Amino acid sequence: MFESIILAGFGGQGILLAGRLLALAGMKEGKHVTWLPSYGPEMRGGTANCMVIISNEPIGSPIVTFPNTLFIFNQPSLEKFLPKLLPGGLLIYDSSLVNYNSSRKDIDLVAIPATRLSVDIGDQRVANLIMLGAYVARKGFPSTEKMLSALKETLGEKKASMFEINERAFRKGLTYGKEA
Amino acid sequence: MAEKLLMKGNEVLAEAAVRAGCRYFFGYPITPQNEIPEYMSWRLPEVGGVYLQAESEVAAINMVFGAAGAGARVLISSSGPGISLMQEGISYIAAAELPCVIINVSRGGPGLGGILPAQSDYFQATRGGGHGDYHLIVLAPHTLQEAFDLTVLAFDLADKYRNPVMIYADGFIGQMMEPVELRDPIDLSTLPPKPWAITGAKGRERNLIKTLYLEGDKLEAHNFRLKRKYDEIVRNEVRYELYMMDDADFAIAAYGTSARIAKTAVKVLRDKGIKVGVIRPITLFPFPYSVYESFANQLKYILVVEMSMGQLIYDVEYSVKGKVPVGLLPHAGGIAPTHEEIVSRILERVESRGDQR
């Protein structure tokens, strides 16, 4: 397996955290992983993205130029990264915020209204976990158990009270992704 | 058994220092290394150490001078512009033959430059950096596991040679996350004594730490003594990695993140049947000159890949002395080379010489 992933959206949507959870769950699955954030001036302008690699082999470059999976949380990110998505790649986007206006037919598309679903759950901040649920539904990897274990570990004791709502969001995405 | 954790590079560097027995940290904030002081600010008090944010880089490096003179294991970290401000102090510490570890999580220059990763402080790191004849031992990690291991090694080398050691990491290494196995902390009581340290002279002859030698013959003798030490470091401490070099016709010379990218390029090129490998310096000083030289007759071409405008290439060319053509793929400003770019540069060379087999 060689998963090269870009997650992109606005600052505050939990992009970096979502990438971190994927990397940590991948590690718990026994894979080699890297996580690389954008920390440049664009971050201060309100957009955020990170690059995650999950691989059976030791990872050389941690930089993802041409991803095989793309998580898109806002419109500018779709325009920036969609042309780089490899043919046959997977695009997961938040259809509450993003209008898919491309003619590309050579990719696997998962449109999930993550923000609307997160409002139903009661906290917009968990849209990122809904997106992750959709990914796991599509890929069958990492396992739900490893994702939730990564979530628990990352929230730690300080934010343990946030676990339950994040788990609910993840499972909502999982269900939605399986039905989609 | 060591724990395996997913950690950010800057935190790995900081935790490695603590586990190597570092109990003092002085610094001043600068991106992209701020997680190091942030981590040390809570971690050092846990182990009875001292974290201090100084009023400037100049103050911080002189605090390091003092702590090192008192025999402590001490760390300072910064990035390009901050490291430049510290150069006077670093020169004094090298002249006084005191051990300390300096981390440069480097960013793009010159001047204030930018905050994105770069490797453009190579000359500064490998040639001393400040005034006078001196060297730092310079270690360049290319994975986070190596960042941990080399930081632990840095403290041992600093003590062994009584010399400042620099961890020269680029911003990618500082900012990325990767699984790391943390080794157990060392037992401080097992460290060799430092009889030269300024610890209070009651009951013994007093120690003197100084860098001023007004008589020419004494200063020259001091310089020769330092040179003998650097020569010994060159004999003993060269470290490097050969990646798929056994049958290589082409080599990529790169360190740090550039070397990781080069390794990805090698995999792609090997799939196309091109015999290419990577010669990666791990110590930038002492530099593995003889290693590059030993491949000079085997190789048709060396491509130097660096996030700077042609600094590493000086050492590579000095190694091979014109016996093999050397090309450069430079980047700057936070723009990393892509493995695709490296692949096409090597392919161009293969095709233009008709060497593909």
Side-chain angles (χ1 to χ4, degrees):
Chain A
M1 125 178 271
F2 185 82
E3 266 290 274
S4 56
I5 305 166
I6 294 180
L7 304 95
F10 291 120
Q13 284 180 306
I15 310 288
L16 301 186
L17 175 66
R20 214 175 130 176
L21 291 174
L22 270 180
L24 184 55
M27 183 185 97
K28 288 172 183 287
E29 293 280 11
K31 306 296 181 188
H32 296 271
V33 299
T34 56
W35 173 92
L36 184 67
S38 65
Y39 67 93
E42 74 272 21
M43 200 165 155
R44 286 140 208 238
T47 70
N49 69 72
C50 67
M51 300 166 176
V52 174
I53 297 176
I54 305 175
S55 169
N56 288 333
E57 310 272 319
I59 297 165
S61 172
I63 301 160
V64 178
T65 316
F66 300 103
N68 57 26
T69 295
L70 200 50
F71 286 81
I72 294 295
F73 291 73
N74 69 7
Q75 197 70 33
S77 298
L78 182 76
E79 273 140 38
K80 182 171 177 188
F81 291 110
L82 183 60
K84 313 256 186 195
L85 182 62
L86 289 170
L90 170 64
L91 168 67
I92 300 177
Y93 68 97
D94 184 343
S95 56
S96 314
L97 303 176
V98 177
N99 173 29
Y100 185 78
N101 48 12
S102 161
S103 57
R104 273 193 83 164
K105 297 269 186 321
D106 59 341
I107 53 173
D108 186 15
L109 268 179
V110 175
I112 179 162
T115 297
R116 183 174 61 72
L117 295 173
S118 70
V119 173
D120 294 347
I121 291 174
D123 193 335
Q124 269 199 42
R125 288 175 300 172
V126 298
N128 56 350
L129 268 290
I130 294 176
M131 299 276 277
L132 290 178
Y135 173 83
V136 171
R138 200 59 151 213
K139 291 273 177 179
F141 180 93
S143 69
T144 296
E145 180 211 338
K146 296 287 193 272
M147 284 299 298
L148 293 177
S149 151
L151 175 65
K152 187 160 230 154
E153 186 178 320
T154 303
L155 291 174
E157 280 172 29
K158 275 188 201 161
K159 293 181 184 165
S161 61
M162 294 296 291
F163 179 80
E164 197 266 320
I165 193 167
N166 277 284
E167 181 187 3
R168 257 200 294 154
F170 176 78
R171 290 191 186 280
K172 189 137 194 162
L174 199 60
T175 309
Y176 193 98
K178 279 177 183 160
E179 287 163 3
Chain B
M1 184 53 205
E3 332 151 45
K4 197 173 185 186
L5 297 171
L6 184 67
M7 289 178 76
K8 200 166 190 183
N10 282 331
E11 295 180 348
V12 171
L13 292 164
E15 180 61 27
V18 172
R19 290 182 183 228
C22 171
R23 290 295 177 270
Y24 296 86
F25 177 94
F26 306 99
Y28 188 81
I30 186 169
T31 307
Q33 62 81 60
N34 283 325
E35 293 86 355
I36 299 175
E38 182 189 3
Y39 191 93
M40 286 307 215
S41 70
W42 62 265
R43 185 68 172 102
L44 278 175
E46 274 187 2
V47 292
V50 171
Y51 162 86
L52 198 152
Q53 181 180 317
E55 69 271 32
S56 72
E57 286 88 348
V58 176
I61 192 67
N62 283 290
M63 292 173 188
V64 170
F65 192 2
R73 285 200 153 181
V74 54
L75 178 71
I76 189 166
S77 69
S78 190
S79 186
I83 298 285
S84 291
L85 285 164
M86 293 171 188
Q87 289 302 335
E88 181 197 40
I90 295 172
S91 172
Y92 278 54
I93 293 168
E97 294 190 79
L98 296 178
C100 69
V101 176
I102 302 157
I103 296 175
N104 181 1
V105 182
S106 67
R107 55 186 250 174
L112 208 45
I115 61 174
L116 296 173
Q119 298 179 312
S120 47
D121 305 338
Y122 181 88
F123 284 156
Q124 184 193 55
T126 57
R127 268 62 182 169
H131 60 281
D133 260 321
Y134 73 93
H135 280 286
L136 313 176
I137 297 171
V138 185
L139 309 174
H142 83 316
T143 64
L144 298 198
Q145 188 62 54
E146 199 174 41
F148 182 91
D149 296 342
L150 290 180
T151 302
V152 174
L153 175 69
F155 282 93
D156 288 338
L157 291 178
D159 280 356
K160 180 176 177 188
Y161 294 102
R162 291 179 57 186
N163 204 71
V165 178
M166 175 175 278
I167 302 289
Y168 185 52
D170 56 73
F172 286 115
I173 297 292
Q175 291 296 320
M176 70 181 285
M177 290 180 105
E178 194 168 38
V180 182
E181 274 185 32
L182 301 178
R183 277 190 275 151
D184 291 338
I186 62 149
D187 178 354
L188 286 172
S189 68
T190 62
L191 291 175
K194 295 177 175 176
W196 46 262
I198 306 291
T199 55
K202 200 170 182 183
R204 63 160 169 81
E205 215 167 293
R206 76 194 181 107
N207 287 334
L208 181 62
I209 289 172
K210 63 162 194 169
T211 67
L212 180 67
Y213 298 85
L214 284 173
E215 297 88 351
D217 56 341
K218 288 195 173 137
L219 181 53
E220 188 186 44
H222 177 51
N223 272 278
F224 271 113
R225 190 170 64 245
L226 289 175
K227 182 178 187 309
R228 282 194 296 277
K229 179 170 80 173
Y230 302 138
D231 290 346
E232 193 190 340
I233 291 169
V234 167
R235 278 195 303 277
N236 297 341
E237 305 299 344
V238 171
R239 286 169 171 82
Y240 59 92
E241 182 198 6
L242 300 178
Y243 181 75
M244 299 203 176
M245 283 302 299
D246 283 351
D247 63 344
D249 296 326
F250 300 87
I252 301 162
Y255 66 96
T257 296
S258 297
R260 294 185 74 124
I261 300 167
K263 285 182 176 181
T264 300
V266 164
K267 279 187 195 159
V268 174
L269 287 161
R270 287 267 170 183
D271 284 346
K272 295 179 192 291
I274 314 291
K275 291 177 180 169
V276 56
V278 179
I279 305 175
R280 177 174 70 93
I282 296 171
T283 48
L284 302 183
F285 183 89
F287 190 83
Y289 291 109
S290 62
V291 177
Y292 284 96
E293 190 189 6
S294 71
F295 281 94
N297 293 324
Q298 176 185 328
L299 294 172
K300 297 189 169 75
Y301 180 65
I302 299 176
L303 179 65
V304 178
V305 179
E306 51 180 308
M307 291 188 279
S308 43
M309 289 290 116
Q311 299 190 28
L312 172 65
I313 194 172
Y314 276 78
D315 283 330
V316 175
E317 286 192 320
Y318 183 77
S319 306
V320 299
K321 299 178 176 66
K323 287 183 215 157
V324 47
V326 179
L328 176 66
L329 173 52
H331 271 292
I335 308 303
T338 63
H339 72 266
E340 291 91 349
E341 227 178 336
I342 300 173
V343 166
S344 70
R345 281 292 298 270
I346 295 286
L347 285 179
E348 270 169 32
R349 193 72 195 183
V350 170
E351 280 152 20
S352 70
R353 290 170 53 101
D355 280 329
Q356 189 162 11
R357 40 193 79 176

